[in-house]
């Protein structure tokens, strides 16, 4: 016992020494720049395919066959002769290995082709693929993305591992959209492995499972996997010996997979009960945004007893466009039961009723539906007992119907013992029906051409509008200055027009502030309709003015007046903008009757102007107008006419009449604006002091800018 305790004490001491020794060690890591010492680019699967010639492709395939100890197939060599990647590097249409006996070594030799060429379709139907060759083929298609459509029908020797590899290929090959597996009986062990890839992440659009034992439990497994699938659009389940109980699974598929657009269950035994289940699924799609567009129930032992369920589904469904009920014993009675749903439906475009035992009574019921249908395009009535009465009803319906472009009828004449000239009448009716169908086809072509022309014009109009918008995009203009207000805060004239600022000098070089645009369509002072005013805050009282004149300006008398600004053809063109300095040198162009009357209104509206609001440039502005008025007595015809009227009737305008104006101060041969100023000076004795001060300032600064 003592020896045991001593041994344990020695072990503890040794452990303490080891801990002390290990704690003295230090771990260091390299810097960030030296952590990654190198990298490799991902391999390029098609590195050998770029600019590959036909000879190189054929030689590579032959070399691969020699390496695997097999003979190259003559059929494949003939197809490879038409491939030249130096001319076209896109996907080629098809590589067909149909009915070629391919083992694993021959499939391995195909890799040299898949390295260099991609195809739209790979056809390996009945090629004798076993499990090993199928695994090799699926692996190469996944790695090289060799095709968009794969056909491996009638290869019955593929085992469980092969279907697992097929499921992986379907999940990891985004370019693969269609796979054809018809003629391959799937067991309860292989179907779960196959459909595992259809749940989430699959890009498969079309799935062919005809004659594949998809019934009972296998159908339930498939429907369960497709409940959360959003990519599959077409599902073909023909020749699978389905029974009426399988209709419940199909109804569940329609309820839970609204993205499915086509369901083909032809050549099964769904019968009336299974058909009713499917119609229940269609009925429940009435409120969805998408639903089944094509349903094929060909040869399913359906009778007239299932037609009420079909009619109820057609009455409310807004997605179904194609319905094929051919080779079912519907009869004329079933057509009468289907009539109500056909009359209420507005989406069905194609209806197939071939070999449905329809007689003349059923043809008359269909004719009533044709006369009321604005959208039906095709009706198939072949192999039915439709005689003269039914043909006559169809002809009368087509004389009203403008949408039906194809009506399939038997060309042979049906015997009618009760009529002697039945052959001639049936022949004439068939010719008349053909002529009416030809008329509808011509109208449909014309309508399509008109729609194309309308779309073309709409596109051209949109392009023209976009180009005009790019040209008519508003230019950047300095912000608008606040109007120069009087002492009482009034910034408008008596007639509501905005008052003219005292200083209107323009300096486009000083424009550097943010821009804003203001339009005034009722500016009678300048005689223009659209005014875009910009103001540079940094320029102070010197406001920048940008004027855009309309196509034509008229005066108050309705005549085209002489605009102060040039009228551009396109007011939104850069080179046609009238941008300039409207200052002392340009005010002569503003001496119009409208501007004179406006200035008189301003002087009349401001009888007690304060010295603080008086601008020294107003005297210069008045003197300039007087000099120009005296120097240019006949500048404007409208101005001369106004002067003559003012000389004859000095107090004609009531809007400018002053309450204290002396008639003795009026000078009939003087400018109306000068006379108005003199009248104001004579009639307003209260402004002597401010007027004298204003005259002294104007004398001291005669040409201040």
């Amino acid at each position: 016992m003592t020896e045991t305790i001593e041994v344990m004490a020695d072990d503890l001491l040794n452990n303490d020494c080891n801990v002390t020794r290990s704690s003295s060690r230090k771990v260091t890591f390299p810097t960030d720049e030296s952590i990654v010492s190198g990298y490799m680019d991902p391999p390029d699967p098609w590195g050998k395919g770029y600019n590959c010639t036909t000879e190189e492709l054929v030689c590579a395939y032959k070399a691969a066959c020699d390496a695997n100890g097999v003979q190259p197939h003559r059929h494949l060599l003939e197809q490879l002769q038409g491939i030249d990647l130096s001319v076209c590097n896109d996907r080629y249409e098809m590589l067909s290995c149909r009915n070629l006996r391919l083992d694993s070594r021959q499939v391995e030799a195909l890799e040299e082709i898949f390295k260099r060429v991609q195809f739209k379709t790979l056809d390996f139907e009945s090629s004798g693929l076993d499990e090993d060759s199928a695994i090799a083929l699926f692996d190469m298609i996944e790695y090289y993305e060799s095709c968009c459509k794969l056909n491996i029908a009638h290869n019955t020797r593929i085992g469980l591992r092969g279907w697992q590899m097929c499921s992986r290929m379907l999940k990891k090959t985004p370019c693969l959209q269609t796979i054809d597996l018809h003629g391959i009986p799937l067991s309860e062990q292989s179907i779960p492995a196959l459909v595992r890839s259809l749940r989430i992440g699959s890009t498969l659009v079309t799935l062919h499972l005809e004659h594949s034992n998809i019934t009972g439990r296998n159908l339930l497994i498939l429907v369960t996997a497709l409940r959360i699938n959003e990519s599959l659009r077409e599902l073909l389940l023909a020749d699978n010996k389905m029974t009426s109980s399988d209709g419940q699974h199909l109804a569940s598929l329609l309820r839970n997979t609204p993205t499915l657009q086509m369901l083909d269950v032809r050549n099964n035994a769904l019968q009336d009960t299974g058909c009713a289940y499917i119609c229940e699924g269609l009925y429940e799609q009435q409120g969805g945004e998408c639903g089944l567009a094509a349903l094929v129930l060909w040869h399913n032992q359906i009778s007239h007893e299932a037609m009420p369920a079909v009619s109820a589904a057609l009455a409310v469904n807004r997605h179904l466009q194609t319905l094929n009920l051919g080779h079912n014993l519907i009869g004329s009675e079933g057509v009468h039961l289907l009539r109500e749903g056909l009359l209420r439906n507005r989406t069905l475009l194609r209806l197939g009723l071939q070999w449905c035992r329809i007689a003349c009574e059923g043809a008359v019921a269909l004719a009533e539906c044709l006369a009321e249908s604005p959208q039906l395009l095709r009706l198939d009535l072949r192999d039915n007992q439709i005689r003269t009465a039914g043909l006559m009803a169809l002809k009368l319906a087509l004389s009203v119907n403008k949408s039906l472009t194809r009506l399939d009828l038997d060309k042979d004449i049906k015997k009618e013992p009760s009529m002697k000239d039945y052959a001639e009448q049936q022949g004439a009716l068939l010719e008349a029906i053909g002529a009416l169908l030809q008329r509808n086809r011509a109208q449909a072509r014309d309508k399509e051409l008109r729609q194309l022309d309308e779309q073309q014009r709409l596109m051209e109009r949109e392009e023209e509008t976009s180009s005009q918008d790019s040209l008519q995009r508003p230019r950047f203009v300095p912000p608008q200055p606040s109007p120069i207000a009087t002492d009482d805060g009034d910034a408008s004239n008596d007639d509501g027009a905005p008052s003219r600022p005292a200083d209107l000098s323009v300096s486009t070089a000083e424009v550097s502030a943010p821009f804003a645009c203001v339009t005034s369509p009722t500016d009678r002072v300048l005689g223009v309709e659209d005014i875009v005013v910009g103001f540079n805050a940094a320029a102070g009282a010197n406001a920048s003015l940008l004027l855009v004149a309309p196509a034509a300006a008229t005066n108050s008398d309705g005549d085209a007046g002489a605009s102060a600004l040039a009228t551009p053809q396109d007011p939104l063109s850069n080179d046609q903008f009238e941008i300039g300095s409207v200052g002392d040198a340009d005010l002569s162009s503003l001496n119009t009757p409208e501007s004179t009357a406006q200035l008189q209104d301003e002087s009349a509206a401001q009888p007690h102007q304060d010295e603080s609001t008086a601008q020294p440039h107003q005297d210069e502005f008045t003197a300039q107008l007087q000099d120009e008025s005296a120097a240019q007595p006949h500048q404007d015809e409208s101005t001369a006419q106004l002067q003559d009227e003012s000389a004859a009737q000095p107090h004609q305008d009531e809007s400018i009449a002053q309450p204290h104006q002396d008639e003795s101060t009026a000078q009939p041969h003087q400018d109306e604006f000068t006379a108005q100023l003199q009248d104001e000076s004579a009639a307003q004795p209260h402004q002597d002091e401010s007027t004298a001060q204003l005259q002294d300032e104007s004398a001291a600064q005669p040409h201040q800018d």
Side-chain angles (χ1 to χ4, degrees), residues 617-636:
H617 302 287
Q618 289 179 348
D619 296 339
E620 183 180 356
F621 179 85
T622 305
Q624 181 70 20
L625 286 179
Q626 291 176 355
D627 295 339
E628 292 173 357
S629 174
Q632 300 178 3
H634 303 287
Q635 182 179 2
D636 193 354

mmCIF file of all heavy atoms in Angstrom, residues 617-636:
data_model
loop_
_atom_site.group_PDB
_atom_site.id
_atom_site.type_symbol
_atom_site.label_atom_id
_atom_site.label_comp_id
_atom_site.label_asym_id
_atom_site.label_seq_id
_atom_site.Cartn_x
_atom_site.Cartn_y
_atom_site.Cartn_z
ATOM 1 N N HIS A 617 -30.805 103.318 -59.436
ATOM 2 C CA HIS A 617 -30.864 102.969 -60.851
ATOM 3 C C HIS A 617 -32.209 103.291 -61.463
ATOM 4 O O HIS A 617 -32.364 103.171 -62.677
ATOM 5 C CB HIS A 617 -30.585 101.472 -61.021
ATOM 6 C CG HIS A 617 -29.250 101.062 -60.465
ATOM 7 N ND1 HIS A 617 -28.062 101.370 -61.078
ATOM 8 C CD2 HIS A 617 -28.936 100.374 -59.339
ATOM 9 C CE1 HIS A 617 -27.059 100.876 -60.366
ATOM 10 N NE2 HIS A 617 -27.570 100.272 -59.292
ATOM 11 N N GLN A 618 -33.206 103.641 -60.670
ATOM 12 C CA GLN A 618 -34.503 103.936 -61.239
ATOM 13 C C GLN A 618 -34.461 105.213 -62.072
ATOM 14 O O GLN A 618 -35.099 105.307 -63.115
ATOM 15 C CB GLN A 618 -35.541 104.076 -60.137
ATOM 16 C CG GLN A 618 -35.882 102.743 -59.458
ATOM 17 C CD GLN A 618 -36.873 102.915 -58.362
ATOM 18 O OE1 GLN A 618 -37.153 104.036 -57.957
ATOM 19 N NE2 GLN A 618 -37.396 101.787 -57.879
ATOM 20 N N ASP A 619 -33.705 106.248 -61.577
ATOM 21 C CA ASP A 619 -33.578 107.480 -62.367
ATOM 22 C C ASP A 619 -32.896 107.203 -63.683
ATOM 23 O O ASP A 619 -33.286 107.716 -64.736
ATOM 24 C CB ASP A 619 -32.815 108.531 -61.559
ATOM 25 C CG ASP A 619 -33.594 108.937 -60.311
ATOM 26 O OD1 ASP A 619 -34.830 108.730 -60.305
ATOM 27 O OD2 ASP A 619 -32.974 109.436 -59.369
ATOM 28 N N GLU A 620 -31.851 106.378 -63.611
ATOM 29 C CA GLU A 620 -31.136 106.046 -64.848
ATOM 30 C C GLU A 620 -32.046 105.275 -65.787
ATOM 31 O O GLU A 620 -32.027 105.457 -67.001
ATOM 32 C CB GLU A 620 -29.909 105.218 -64.502
ATOM 33 C CG GLU A 620 -29.054 104.890 -65.715
ATOM 34 C CD GLU A 620 -27.837 104.063 -65.312
ATOM 35 O OE1 GLU A 620 -27.675 103.845 -64.107
ATOM 36 O OE2 GLU A 620 -27.094 103.654 -66.212
ATOM 37 N N PHE A 621 -32.856 104.397 -65.196
ATOM 38 C CA PHE A 621 -33.818 103.617 -65.980
ATOM 39 C C PHE A 621 -34.819 104.550 -66.659
ATOM 40 O O PHE A 621 -35.123 104.411 -67.845
ATOM 41 C CB PHE A 621 -34.527 102.640 -65.030
ATOM 42 C CG PHE A 621 -35.559 101.789 -65.680
ATOM 43 C CD1 PHE A 621 -35.181 100.616 -66.305
ATOM 44 C CD2 PHE A 621 -36.897 102.150 -65.656
ATOM 45 C CE1 PHE A 621 -36.118 99.825 -66.901
ATOM 46 C CE2 PHE A 621 -37.833 101.347 -66.244
ATOM 47 C CZ PHE A 621 -37.450 100.187 -66.871
ATOM 48 N N THR A 622 -35.337 105.569 -65.925
ATOM 49 C CA THR A 622 -36.308 106.519 -66.477
ATOM 50 C C THR A 622 -35.683 107.392 -67.553
ATOM 51 O O THR A 622 -36.269 107.620 -68.616
ATOM 52 C CB THR A 622 -36.873 107.393 -65.358
ATOM 53 O OG1 THR A 622 -37.410 106.539 -64.339
ATOM 54 C CG2 THR A 622 -37.965 108.316 -65.884
ATOM 55 N N ALA A 623 -34.454 107.870 -67.278
ATOM 56 C CA ALA A 623 -33.779 108.717 -68.267
ATOM 57 C C ALA A 623 -33.506 107.954 -69.545
ATOM 58 O O ALA A 623 -33.637 108.486 -70.649
ATOM 59 C CB ALA A 623 -32.476 109.274 -67.673
ATOM 60 N N GLN A 624 -33.129 106.699 -69.387
ATOM 61 C CA GLN A 624 -32.848 105.886 -70.577
ATOM 62 C C GLN A 624 -34.103 105.705 -71.411
ATOM 63 O O GLN A 624 -34.069 105.783 -72.641
ATOM 64 C CB GLN A 624 -32.298 104.517 -70.149
ATOM 65 C CG GLN A 624 -31.949 103.598 -71.318
ATOM 66 C CD GLN A 624 -30.731 104.093 -72.076
ATOM 67 O OE1 GLN A 624 -29.957 104.862 -71.536
ATOM 68 N NE2 GLN A 624 -30.602 103.656 -73.328
ATOM 69 N N LEU A 625 -35.219 105.463 -70.748
ATOM 70 C CA LEU A 625 -36.468 105.298 -71.482
ATOM 71 C C LEU A 625 -36.877 106.593 -72.182
ATOM 72 O O LEU A 625 -37.396 106.585 -73.297
ATOM 73 C CB LEU A 625 -37.575 104.849 -70.534
ATOM 74 C CG LEU A 625 -37.527 103.401 -70.061
ATOM 75 C CD1 LEU A 625 -38.682 103.138 -69.108
ATOM 76 C CD2 LEU A 625 -37.609 102.477 -71.256
ATOM 77 N N GLN A 626 -36.650 107.743 -71.525
ATOM 78 C CA GLN A 626 -36.995 109.026 -72.154
ATOM 79 C C GLN A 626 -36.146 109.277 -73.388
ATOM 80 O O GLN A 626 -36.638 109.687 -74.436
ATOM 81 C CB GLN A 626 -36.820 110.159 -71.140
ATOM 82 C CG GLN A 626 -37.856 110.141 -70.008
ATOM 83 C CD GLN A 626 -37.586 111.211 -68.968
ATOM 84 O OE1 GLN A 626 -36.571 111.902 -69.063
ATOM 85 N NE2 GLN A 626 -38.503 111.332 -68.014
ATOM 86 N N ASP A 627 -34.803 109.015 -73.252
ATOM 87 C CA ASP A 627 -33.919 109.249 -74.406
ATOM 88 C C ASP A 627 -34.294 108.347 -75.571
ATOM 89 O O ASP A 627 -34.345 108.776 -76.723
ATOM 90 C CB ASP A 627 -32.464 108.994 -74.002
ATOM 91 C CG ASP A 627 -32.001 110.008 -72.943
ATOM 92 O OD1 ASP A 627 -32.640 111.080 -72.864
ATOM 93 O OD2 ASP A 627 -31.020 109.700 -72.218
ATOM 94 N N GLU A 628 -34.573 107.060 -75.264
ATOM 95 C CA GLU A 628 -34.914 106.135 -76.341
ATOM 96 C C GLU A 628 -36.262 106.479 -76.945
ATOM 97 O O GLU A 628 -36.469 106.317 -78.146
ATOM 98 C CB GLU A 628 -34.930 104.710 -75.806
ATOM 99 C CG GLU A 628 -33.541 104.229 -75.432
ATOM 100 C CD GLU A 628 -33.603 102.876 -74.747
ATOM 101 O OE1 GLU A 628 -34.738 102.412 -74.540
ATOM 102 O OE2 GLU A 628 -32.539 102.327 -74.457
ATOM 103 N N SER A 629 -37.175 106.955 -76.114
ATOM 104 C CA SER A 629 -38.494 107.346 -76.635
ATOM 105 C C SER A 629 -38.379 108.543 -77.560
ATOM 106 O O SER A 629 -39.071 108.639 -78.564
ATOM 107 C CB SER A 629 -39.439 107.633 -75.474
ATOM 108 O OG SER A 629 -40.653 108.131 -75.954
ATOM 109 N N ALA A 630 -37.491 109.492 -77.206
ATOM 110 C CA ALA A 630 -37.308 110.667 -78.056
ATOM 111 C C ALA A 630 -36.526 110.336 -79.312
ATOM 112 O O ALA A 630 -36.771 110.881 -80.379
ATOM 113 C CB ALA A 630 -36.608 111.793 -77.271
ATOM 114 N N ALA A 631 -35.521 109.412 -79.184
ATOM 115 C CA ALA A 631 -34.680 109.074 -80.336
ATOM 116 C C ALA A 631 -35.389 108.151 -81.306
ATOM 117 O O ALA A 631 -35.067 108.124 -82.489
ATOM 118 C CB ALA A 631 -33.380 108.434 -79.868
ATOM 119 N N GLN A 632 -36.311 107.400 -80.840
ATOM 120 C CA GLN A 632 -37.005 106.436 -81.701
ATOM 121 C C GLN A 632 -38.505 106.701 -81.628
ATOM 122 O O GLN A 632 -39.262 105.975 -80.995
ATOM 123 C CB GLN A 632 -36.700 105.011 -81.254
ATOM 124 C CG GLN A 632 -35.223 104.692 -81.310
ATOM 125 C CD GLN A 632 -34.935 103.293 -80.811
ATOM 126 O OE1 GLN A 632 -35.864 102.581 -80.481
ATOM 127 N NE2 GLN A 632 -33.662 102.949 -80.768
ATOM 128 N N PRO A 633 -38.978 107.797 -82.266
ATOM 129 C CA PRO A 633 -40.414 108.105 -82.172
ATOM 130 C C PRO A 633 -41.275 107.120 -82.930
ATOM 131 O O PRO A 633 -42.448 106.991 -82.659
ATOM 132 C CB PRO A 633 -40.514 109.511 -82.765
ATOM 133 C CG PRO A 633 -39.347 109.598 -83.701
ATOM 134 C CD PRO A 633 -38.243 108.798 -83.084
ATOM 135 N N HIS A 634 -40.704 106.454 -83.941
ATOM 136 C CA HIS A 634 -41.509 105.541 -84.749
ATOM 137 C C HIS A 634 -40.977 104.126 -84.636
ATOM 138 O O HIS A 634 -41.009 103.370 -85.600
ATOM 139 C CB HIS A 634 -41.492 105.984 -86.212
ATOM 140 C CG HIS A 634 -41.980 107.388 -86.414
ATOM 141 N ND1 HIS A 634 -43.323 107.747 -86.303
ATOM 142 C CD2 HIS A 634 -41.294 108.537 -86.676
ATOM 143 C CE1 HIS A 634 -43.437 109.054 -86.528
ATOM 144 N NE2 HIS A 634 -42.233 109.548 -86.734
ATOM 145 N N GLN A 635 -40.449 103.741 -83.462
ATOM 146 C CA GLN A 635 -39.863 102.396 -83.323
ATOM 147 C C GLN A 635 -40.912 101.304 -83.460
ATOM 148 O O GLN A 635 -40.713 100.329 -84.140
ATOM 149 C CB GLN A 635 -39.179 102.259 -81.960
ATOM 150 C CG GLN A 635 -38.510 100.904 -81.757
ATOM 151 C CD GLN A 635 -37.841 100.819 -80.413
ATOM 152 O OE1 GLN A 635 -37.922 101.770 -79.657
ATOM 153 N NE2 GLN A 635 -37.189 99.710 -80.152
ATOM 154 N N ASP A 636 -41.990 101.501 -82.826
ATOM 155 C CA ASP A 636 -43.030 100.455 -82.835
ATOM 156 C C ASP A 636 -44.350 101.079 -83.249
ATOM 157 O O ASP A 636 -44.709 102.158 -82.778
ATOM 158 C CB ASP A 636 -43.170 99.837 -81.437
ATOM 159 C CG ASP A 636 -43.993 98.576 -81.488
ATOM 160 O OD1 ASP A 636 -44.518 98.271 -82.570
ATOM 161 O OD2 ASP A 636 -44.095 97.927 -80.434
#
